[in-house]
Every structure is written in structure tokens, then in C-alpha cells.
Amino acid sequence: MNEQERGRFYQGDGLRAYDLFGAHFTTVDGVDGVRFDLYAPHARSVRLIGQFNGWDRQATPMTKIDADCWEVFVPGVAEYAMYKYIIEQADGRFTEKADPYAFYSELRPAWASKAVRMDDYQWHDGSWMAQRTDNRDRPMNIYECHLGGFMRKPDGGVHTYYEMIDLLVPYVSKMGYTHIELMPLNEYPLDASWGYQQYGYFAPTARYGNAYQLKMLIDACHRAGLGVIMDIVVVHFAVDDYGLRMFDGTPLYESGDRSRAVSQWGTLYFDYSKPAVTSFLMSSAGLWLDKYHVDGLRVDAVSNLIFLDGDKTKGPNHGGVDFIKRFNIALHAAYKGIMTIAEDSSDYPHVTQPVDQGGLGFDYKWDLGWMNDTLGYYKLDPIYRQYHHNELTFSMAYFWAERFILPLSHDEVVHSKATIVNKMWGLYGEKFAQCKNLMVYMYAHPGKKLSFMGNEIATFREFDENRELDWFLLKYPAHDAYQRFTRDLNAIYRDHPAFWRFDYDCRGFEWIDADNSGQQIYSFMRYDENSCYLVVLNMSPVSYEDYVIGVPSYGYYTEIINSERDIYGGCNMCNFTKLRAVKPASHGRPYHLKIRIAPFAGLIFQGRTNASDHRQKKG
């Protein structure tokens, strides 16, 4: 064993514990085979069974090489050979367990671990890896995806990682997204958990193929200019007997206090007071960055790391907070240009501040408050929206406190919550109009973007992990037009730096009119160093032929997208010619435009003058 990494493992700072434990192909005294290493400090004995010894329970005892670890070298083991551990637990009972550090496993419901080589793949993404960054001053528009629910074979079977190279990658590229976020791929037993209840923390799920194929998929993403973000779960684990629970007859990974061990999901919380546990989790995350070239990690249920049971009233989770700080420090130091993203529903401050400045060290945080407030507003009958006007302006009151990502995630299209388009108030056509309006608002609002698969075609059926997206909807004009609208909006977002250059700098945003609750019209500006954009959102079913709106500078404004254009299924009440800003002043700005606004329309106009002049002339 590597003694330096071994020391880090026992200190709780290990990033490569997968080099210490698991099944590793090696050569001993000129003989090729596999070295098996297991961390099971309280086991009385450990035996190895597998295809290579006929599953003989007595054939391959392991040797305890120190107080905590067991080891055996087996010659002639074939790649993908299955194996299990028989552990004589502290109480004398025998149980069969999967290898916690296995790089691959059988397809559920079977669970035997498999010995695989992890370093044979030849990567072709050197240029991508050398140039990647955390994207703070770049566009980042994420397509969240569940591989089994994206697209299926004609017989209903799932596609492999390899097959997704020709399905997922070109589709996401054509639609204009910058990143793919994959819902958890660590091995898990229950399909309905979507991967959020795991047992194989170093093994990609066998549902879609093997580790080599997954590397090919990620490599293909990088060569297509797409970043890859992986969902990971470091809060809790599945309770299946062959997994981590009571691994060596003692609560090795969970707390010995059952009142502290059982989570709100019926799973078991990790015990962060144990250095071997924190090294296990940090190494699991490090594996994705090291062996799979993943660009970012989205950490699930961060509120449970911050507070006990994720409940602020129960007090802080000191062990979880300490763990996530060390997690972020270590991973950022080891892997250039990566991102860590917090899915955090709490109001805990400084989540995206550096640890040495009192923060948790994440690069980004999902703005779940924006998501809840925004969707709540769009559900309302327009008659009542005037009384909830601040639900759309409130986000900018706190936005600069963190580096937020605006999510319309899988959590919002399940459990009878209704899909995004179906949350909108009104009848069929009104729902589409308002959903397009919502997307203009989301894309023009400061912050990076995330949207769950299916949102881009306005699917009405909630997400089901056992079915593909309703691609047949694209045969209908409204859905086909909506997909085109999404693609065009993605292109505008990517091609116009004002919508991402100053995402986390107040120079990039300015309200024009945040208080027009009576007419339910919002307007604001987005800036970069050299350009400006006027965004207008009509939240009512009323149209306007000559709506007067103040602008900060003289010149011409060109409508670059209107959610009500006929090609997007709208009424085509648009501004087809350039509009000239003229005096007198309006909305506290020295010039004004007169614009046409259709019911429920979202509009973006591009100005021509220097952005710095705009802000100097305000008021």
C-alpha cells in the first residue's frame, strides 16, 4: 500500500483510497493476478469467493495485514470476474458483502462485485481538460438528464453509455446547451430511487454498460464541447444487507446511535466523525474527477450536511460542515478547473465563499428560492398576480450573496407536482405562452441555468424513470415550435456575453421598472463591457401597441427574440423594425422606446451603444 495515501486515509483526507482498497490487477513475483484489499477493522475473519475459485467459501482466506485491513493476491483472475467477501462479523455471524471499493458490479438485482482495469482507456480530451474552468465568466446552460429516461430502444430497453454517444451528445449539442448533468450513476439497487440511494460508491451502474463505455461517453462530450457534471450523494446510503450497513458487524460507515443514523428517507446517514468515512466519500468523488474526467460534482442534500436532518431547528451538523469544507478544499487543490455545486434548500450563508473566508467552498449553489417563488407566481391567475408582484423581484434582493444557478430540475416534474408547462395558469395555449415567457425570464436573469430533460419540448407527462421522454410530442406544432424556441433562446444566451459575463457582478443587471404591479410588466437591462439588452416581460393577458418604456441611452434597439413570434407558435405581435430611443425621459431614464407587447410575451432588445455609457446616464 502507498504509505502516504494510507496516512491520509486514516487522517480523513484521503482522495485516492480506491488505490488502497478494492480489486487491482497487478503482478507479484512475475505472476499476473489481482490484489484484493478490504477495510474491515472489526471483522474476525474475511474470505474471498468468486468465479476464480468456484465460489468455494474455504478456498481463499484473506490475511489481516494490520489492525484494520485484509489482503490476498489471487493469480490468473480474468477481467470482469465476479467476487464477494464473506465476513465473519464481530458477533461471530457470517455475512456476504459487496466490495465497498469495487470499480464495477453485477446488474441489479444481483450485486456481486467485478474486477476491472481502470487505466486502459486512452483519452482524447487533452485540449478540453487543459482549458476547462469553473465557468464564472462563461456561459453555462445545463441539461439535466436521467440516462434511462431520456431515450429508449423500440422494445423499451435502455441504451448503453456507448449508444448514448450517438443519441444524447448530438442532441444536447444541437439544442445549444453547454453542459450535461447526469443524475447519479454510482451503483444503486432500486430504480425508483433514481440513483440517490447507493451502495457502490466507486462503481458506475451496470444498467447502461461498463466503466470503459462511460469513459467513452464523457470523452465524446468533451470532444463535442460539452462539459459533464455528475450528481453525487455524500449524505446517506442504501440499507441493503450486502452494502455498507453494519459492514463488519459494527456501524462502520453509519453512526452507532440509531437515532442519529436513520435518515428521513429510511436510509442511513454517513458518520463524518470517522476519518475512514470521510476519506471514503472524498475518494469516491475524486474517482469521478480522476478516472472519468468529470468536470463538476453536484452534491445532493447539502442542507443535511449543514443541519441535523436538514432541519435548522435541530441545530448544526458540525461533522457535516467540517467534512464539506475539507471536501471542497481538497478536490479544488487536486483537480484543475472543476466545479462543485450545492443543492441546498437552507438559508445558510456563504455557501459559495472560499473556506478561508468563512464559507463552505462551493463554486455554485442552486437557487431553490428563485425556483419556488417563480413557479408559484406563474401558477397564479393573472387577476391575482398584482398582489404577488414581489415574488419575481425578490430574487435580486439576495442574488449577490451567492453564486447561484437557476434550476428547473427533476424535483419539479415528479410526485404529482406537474411538469413545468402544466404548472402554468390557464388553458393549453395560455400555458405555452407563459412557459415561453418564463424561459425568457430565466435566461435573462443573472445566474447560470439548469433545465431538466423534457422541459425543452414542453412535456405534459411527469418524469418516469421506466419510460423515455414523450418524443412523439414533436409531431404536434405547439411542441415542435417550443423546442425551436428553446434552441433559439439557448443560442442567444450563448452568443451574447451580457447574459453571462457579469452574472455575479451587479454591473451586469439593472431594473428599469420593477414596480408595475398594475399592468404586471417587468423590465430590466443586462450589460457587458460593450453592449446592453432590454428585457420586457408581460405577465398579463393584455396587449399593448405603444407601451412606453425608459432606456438609459440614445440609439436603436433591435428585438432579437419575442416569445410570441409565429415560428414559436405565437400571435406574431412583434417589433419587426429597429426602434429608436428618443426623448423625453421615462422610468427615470433619459430616453424612451414605444414597443408592441403581446399578451404573456417575453421580449429581448439589443442596444447598440457602449454599456458603460448606459450606466453613467442612468437617472
Side-chain angles (χ1 to χ4, degrees):
M1 285 189 178
N2 182 305
E3 290 305 315
Q4 183 178 9
E5 187 59 39
R6 182 182 177 83
R8 294 187 65 184
F9 174 80
Y10 284 110
Q11 293 168 12
D13 294 317
L15 283 182
R16 300 181 65 92
Y18 49 83
D19 287 338
L20 305 178
F21 304 110
H24 296 271
F25 284 86
T26 188
T27 301
V28 176
D29 297 330
V31 178
D32 294 335
V34 173
R35 188 194 77 236
F36 296 87
D37 288 277
L38 180 69
Y39 177 73
H42 303 105
R44 292 186 180 182
S45 68
V46 181
R47 302 167 193 172
L48 177 68
I49 60 173
Q51 290 177 307
F52 41 80
N53 65 9
W55 302 99
D56 185 341
R57 298 171 69 90
Q58 306 299 324
T60 313
M62 299 182 73
T63 301
K64 198 166 192 179
I65 59 174
D66 63 18
D68 299 324
C69 305
W70 303 79
E71 185 176 85
V72 68
F73 173 76
V74 181
V77 175
E79 188 167 17
Y80 295 104
M82 294 186 291
Y83 68 96
K84 300 177 182 179
Y85 293 119
I86 298 177
I87 297 180
E88 183 182 5
Q89 296 186 326
D91 59 5
R93 291 184 295 175
F94 289 87
T95 185
E96 293 185 1
K97 291 284 189 177
D99 184 353
Y101 286 87
F103 292 131
Y104 194 47
S105 298
E106 276 190 290
L107 178 63
R108 53 87 178 90
W111 52 268
S113 303
K114 292 186 177 184
V116 297
R117 303 177 189 273
M118 288 298 289
D119 298 316
D120 284 358
Y121 183 76
Q122 296 297 313
W123 289 90
H124 304 88
D125 64 348
S127 177
W128 172 275
M129 295 294 286
Q131 297 177 32
R132 72 178 180 183
T133 74
D134 61 11
N135 297 288
R136 292 187 197 181
D137 60 352
R138 294 185 182 182
M140 188 161 69
N141 185 13
I142 304 164
Y143 188 76
E144 186 189 21
C145 181
H146 181 280
L147 288 182
F150 174 71
M151 191 174 291
R152 295 233 171 183
K153 296 179 179 179
D155 64 0
V158 298
H159 288 284
T160 64
Y161 299 120
Y162 179 72
E163 291 166 338
M164 281 292 174
I165 293 173
D166 294 325
L167 298 173
L168 179 63
V169 176
Y171 177 77
V172 176
S173 296
K174 180 185 73 174
M175 288 299 297
Y177 295 96
T178 65
H179 290 70
I180 298 173
E181 180 170 320
L182 298 172
M183 291 170 67
L185 292 180
N186 292 100
E187 192 58 85
Y188 59 101
L190 180 64
D191 289 2
S193 78
W194 310 328
Y196 291 100
Q197 297 182 12
Q198 308 172 354
Y199 76 90
Y201 274 74
F202 296 83
T205 179
R207 288 166 174 80
Y208 314 117
N210 59 42
Y212 194 92
Q213 293 173 327
L214 177 55
K215 292 176 183 179
M216 294 178 73
L217 172 60
I218 295 171
D219 203 359
C221 287
H222 287 171
R223 285 184 282 120
L226 295 170
V228 178
I229 299 167
M230 193 72 69
D231 278 14
I232 63 170
V233 182
V234 298
V235 169
H236 60 119
F237 59 88
V239 297
D240 301 76
D241 287 339
Y242 52 80
L244 300 179
R245 183 172 69 89
M246 296 294 290
F247 186 79
D248 60 2
T250 68
L252 189 62
Y253 292 90
E254 66 271 35
S255 171
D257 180 353
R258 185 167 177 79
S259 67
R260 298 285 298 274
V262 180
S263 78
Q264 64 203 68
W265 305 283
T267 51
L268 292 174
Y269 286 128
F270 283 105
D271 186 347
Y272 306 110
S273 70
K274 300 170 181 176
V277 171
T278 58
S279 289
F280 174 86
L281 292 171
M282 290 167 64
S283 296
S284 171
L287 180 83
W288 288 117
L289 304 172
D290 176 24
K291 301 297 185 182
Y292 292 92
H293 288 201
V294 163
D295 305 294
L297 300 171
R298 178 267 201 187
V299 182
D300 186 59
V302 168
S303 62
N304 290 73
L305 291 169
I306 297 172
F307 299 110
L308 297 174
D309 289 327
D311 185 345
K312 188 175 182 179
T313 64
K314 293 185 178 181
N317 181 354
H318 295 294
V321 170
D322 179 68
F323 161 71
I324 206 61
K325 288 179 179 180
R326 288 187 288 124
F327 172 97
N328 279 319
I329 290 172
L331 292 177
H332 283 96
Y335 301 102
K336 176 186 173 183
I338 62 132
M339 301 175 289
T340 59
I341 302 167
E343 187 269 322
D344 174 27
S345 58
S346 76
D347 60 356
Y348 190 84
H350 310 312
V351 171
T352 57
Q353 292 298 309
V355 173
D356 60 7
Q357 296 178 24
L360 295 185
F362 285 99
D363 295 286
Y364 298 99
K365 172 181 173 175
W366 278 18
D367 192 349
L368 298 175
W370 172 88
M371 181 181 70
N372 291 327
D373 289 346
T374 298
L375 294 178
Y377 179 91
Y378 278 90
K379 292 177 185 177
L380 291 171
D381 187 317
I383 294 173
Y384 303 110
R385 286 178 180 172
Q386 61 183 312
Y387 308 114
H388 298 266
H389 195 74
N390 68 328
E391 290 183 15
L392 287 197
T393 61
F394 179 61
S395 62
M396 292 311 302
Y398 64 79
F399 187 81
W400 313 117
E402 303 279 6
R403 289 187 297 277
F404 284 114
I405 291 175
L406 308 183
L408 293 176
S409 73
H410 69 275
D411 281 327
E412 290 307 306
V413 296
V414 292
H415 305 319
S416 300
K417 295 178 183 177
T419 62
I420 300 301
V421 68
N422 211 17
K423 292 180 195 293
M424 303 295 105
W425 170 86
L427 301 177
Y428 185 79
E430 293 165 318
K431 287 180 180 293
F432 274 87
Q434 289 169 97
C435 203
K436 289 181 289 181
N437 177 298
L438 164 62
M439 298 311 292
V440 172
Y441 169 52
M442 176 182 179
Y443 278 61
H445 191 291
K448 311 307 181 186
K449 326 298 177 191
L450 177 141
S451 191
F452 185 56
M453 63 181 195
N455 290 349
E456 79 280 9
I457 62 173
T459 182
F460 277 87
R461 179 179 60 82
E462 290 188 346
F463 167 59
D464 181 349
E465 70 278 1
N466 297 307
R467 296 175 56 183
E468 72 172 9
L469 294 178
D470 289 340
W471 296 109
F472 67 86
L473 291 174
L474 294 176
K475 297 178 182 178
Y476 298 92
H479 294 273
D480 181 65
Y482 190 90
Q483 185 190 47
R484 177 175 179 174
F485 170 74
T486 304
R487 185 172 64 248
D488 289 354
L489 193 56
N490 284 348
I492 287 172
Y493 169 73
R494 290 185 64 155
D495 294 344
H496 296 265
F499 294 110
W500 42 264
R501 176 72 177 85
F502 293 125
D503 266 333
Y504 307 107
D505 185 327
C506 61
R507 289 180 294 167
F509 176 89
E510 179 184 19
W511 283 113
I512 296 295
D513 189 357
D515 302 314
N516 189 353
S517 59
Q519 292 175 298
Q520 300 162 40
I521 293 179
Y522 300 80
S523 55
F524 56 87
M525 304 293 297
R526 291 300 308 270
Y527 298 101
D528 64 12
E529 296 93 338
N530 301 305
S531 56
C532 70
Y533 297 80
L534 169 66
V535 182
V536 182
L537 304 166
N538 182 8
M539 303 300 184
S540 77
V542 179
S543 64
Y544 299 89
E545 278 291 342
D546 292 299
Y547 186 84
V548 175
I549 188 165
V551 290
S553 65
Y554 180 78
Y556 288 93
Y557 289 75
T558 303
E559 184 179 271
I560 60 172
I561 196 164
N562 188 320
S563 64
E564 282 300 304
R565 279 193 67 184
D566 55 358
I567 59 172
Y568 305 138
C571 66
N572 217 34
M573 185 179 178
C574 303
N575 299 273
F576 296 106
T577 60
K578 295 179 181 179
L579 304 180
R580 185 178 180 183
V582 297
K583 290 183 179 294
S586 181
H587 295 103
R589 301 328 188 263
Y591 305 95
H592 75 273
L593 299 174
K594 288 185 178 181
I595 64 176
R596 304 178 79 207
I597 309 178
F600 298 127
L603 307 85
I604 300 178
F605 296 87
Q606 182 177 9
R608 296 185 60 187
T609 51
N610 186 275
S612 61
D613 292 341
H614 290 186
R615 298 191 67 82
Q616 292 171 9
K617 294 177 182 178
K618 176 183 174 182

